[in-house]
Amino acid sequence: MTSANLEQDQPGSGRLAHAPTDHPAVPRKKVGVLLANLGTPDATDYWSMRRYLSEFLSDRRVVDYAAWKWQPLLQLIILSRRPFKSGEAYRSIWNTEQNESPLLTITREQTRKVSAGLKERLGDQVVVDFCMRYGNPSTDSVLRRMQAEGCERILFFPLYPQYASPTTATANDQAFRTLMKLKWQPAVRTVPAYFEQPAYIEALANSVREAYAATESRPDVLVASYHGVPKRYLLEGDPYHCQCQKTTRLLKERLGWKDDEIVTAFQSKFGPEEWVGPATVEHVAELARQGKKHIAVVSPAFSSDCVETLEEIEQEIRSSFIEAGGETFTYIPCLNARDDHIAALLSVIENELGGWI
């Protein structure tokens, strides 16, 4: 088959011009948009949790200790106990109606809305799907399916507003691993951090305004809680900490608030080394001891509610605040599938598709 055969395809026919009659049908050329989120276990039992945690904690972007030192500790000690605790946390938030994690439910709905929005704006030119860095649907399986459907160009969109090595970079890594195995690679673009996009900041501000309007007494302070990373990552050049601080500043400015009405903190510390701080679970307790009896917490680093927000913030961090003397704790949900959030994602996607559509 010559290059001319490939170029002269007949749209919608599944046939190549001048190709032999026994040539396999070729799908019409398409552009794909692949939304990528962190991941989810398939179930909450011990072995499902162990498989998920093993994949997650074996990722060198997440824990970058030498494998000879880390893997025996992980496989023989940590994964003998942690699946029980993590399974309990997931069970407390599990979507029992659909038998899946909230992250999976929300990401599917975000994908449905993004797909509908792009179809309205661009017609049938774009195929939209989603994948998970860890667990299912896997990045590898979805990328291969999109290529089989005719996606010769794919926009890969990690759903993390701020760039971080353990989130954005590892999602991109996984996509690149699939490309390394393909005989015919689609052209792939990756979406950069979008925390500065005005539409994203506006959606975040809207969620805060709505939550504050629904409270009986205005919170004394808003805690912007981001997932944490070791401090060493910052010193090694990861921009995440700086981008989180800027997100908080942009949100404060959009709301028109004073400096003391919003603070930045970090959650989900893991391991013995020093992490960026202050730690949310400790900071909310300190706020209560300082006389801040009414607080709200928002999670600008998470595009979808997940175990870190629905269990860690809603349960562990809330308890820390109340036990230290706090009275009213308001958790402001992630942007999830809000219409203004979907509009922000569509704006980013259309910009990044420039020249392809």
Side-chain angles (χ1 to χ4, degrees):
M1 181 171 57
T2 67
S3 59
N5 295 139
L6 286 173
E7 294 168 358
Q8 298 177 43
D9 60 326
Q10 300 169 5
S13 69
R15 294 276 296 114
L16 295 174
H18 313 300
T21 56
D22 61 348
H23 193 285
V26 176
R28 179 171 58 89
K29 293 179 182 179
K30 304 181 186 75
V31 172
V33 173
L34 182 51
L35 307 179
N37 219 326
L38 178 69
T40 173
D42 295 323
T44 61
D45 62 277
Y46 174 83
W47 290 108
S48 295
M49 292 304 310
R50 184 178 177 114
R51 282 193 300 272
Y52 173 73
L53 291 171
S54 181
E55 183 181 13
F56 175 50
L57 295 175
S58 293
D59 186 351
R60 291 297 300 274
R61 291 283 194 181
V62 175
V63 181
D64 60 357
Y65 303 147
W68 66 266
K69 184 187 304 182
W70 173 242
Q71 281 298 319
L73 176 63
L74 174 64
Q75 300 297 332
L76 299 177
I77 299 177
I78 295 173
L79 291 181
S80 66
R81 302 190 305 264
R82 191 175 178 91
F84 292 109
K85 182 178 180 181
S86 294
E88 182 180 354
Y90 270 95
R91 280 190 293 276
S92 72
I93 65 164
W94 201 248
N95 180 348
T96 54
E97 183 177 335
Q98 295 181 247
N99 192 28
E100 62 188 23
S101 74
L103 177 68
L104 181 55
T105 305
I106 294 165
T107 306
R108 184 185 296 110
E109 179 64 7
Q110 290 172 326
T111 303
R112 185 190 69 79
K113 286 192 171 186
V114 167
S115 180
L118 286 176
K119 185 172 184 178
E120 181 179 334
R121 301 181 188 197
L122 303 173
D124 295 323
Q125 300 181 73
V126 180
V127 174
V128 183
D129 212 330
F130 74 95
C131 66
M132 298 293 174
R133 169 60 183 90
Y134 314 104
N136 295 303
S138 70
T139 302
D140 183 85
S141 66
V142 181
L143 265 175
R144 289 175 182 273
R145 182 172 69 237
M146 294 182 78
Q147 185 197 42
E149 292 174 357
C151 294
E152 295 187 5
R153 302 182 182 197
I154 297 175
L155 180 67
F156 187 74
F157 192 169
L159 290 174
Y160 311 110
Q162 302 81 17
Y163 174 95
S165 173
T167 54
T168 312
T170 190
N172 290 337
D173 288 347
Q174 196 71 350
F176 299 151
R177 289 188 187 99
T178 294
L179 295 180
M180 290 171 66
K181 295 180 286 186
L182 295 178
K183 286 291 189 292
W184 186 359
Q185 295 177 331
V188 173
R189 291 176 177 173
T190 61
V191 175
Y194 57 96
F195 69 97
E196 293 179 290
Q197 293 294 321
Y200 163 73
I201 294 297
E202 181 62 25
L204 197 60
N206 286 341
S207 72
V208 173
R209 294 187 191 103
E210 292 168 14
Y212 269 51
T215 59
E216 293 185 5
S217 58
R218 179 184 171 86
D220 299 315
V221 64
L222 174 65
V223 179
S225 181
Y226 302 82
H227 67 78
V229 293
K231 186 175 182 180
R232 171 171 53 86
Y233 286 23
L234 168 64
L235 301 178
E236 291 173 350
D238 191 309
Y240 176 70
H241 179 266
C242 299
Q243 292 183 1
C244 292
Q245 298 286 355
K246 187 169 183 179
T247 302
T248 300
R249 177 175 64 79
L250 292 173
L251 176 59
K252 179 197 70 175
E253 291 172 355
R254 190 68 190 87
L255 291 168
W257 287 3
K258 300 175 182 177
D259 290 348
D260 60 358
E261 293 182 278
I262 183 169
V263 298
T264 298
F266 297 86
Q267 61 187 85
S268 308
K269 179 180 178 180
F270 178 82
E273 66 179 302
E274 183 181 2
W275 281 44
V276 295
T280 306
V281 68
E282 299 168 1
H283 194 60
V284 296
E286 181 60 28
L287 288 173
R289 289 190 286 268
Q290 292 174 1
K292 308 292 186 182
K293 301 300 182 182
H294 310 282
I295 69 168
V297 178
V298 67
S299 301
F302 299 96
S303 64
S304 314
D305 273 308
C306 54
V307 71
E308 285 89 350
T309 62
L310 299 176
E311 192 277 335
E312 187 176 359
I313 291 179
E314 278 277 51
Q315 298 179 38
E316 180 185 350
I317 292 171
R318 176 190 293 272
S319 295
S320 176
F321 176 69
I322 299 299
E323 290 171 5
E327 296 176 5
T328 305
F329 182 100
T330 300
Y331 171 62
I332 301 173
C334 292
L335 296 179
N336 296 327
R338 290 173 56 105
D339 288 344
D340 51 5
H341 184 215
I342 299 302
L345 298 180
L346 287 169
S347 175
V348 172
I349 289 168
E350 286 194 286
N351 181 65
E352 296 301 324
L353 286 176
W356 276 7
I357 298 295

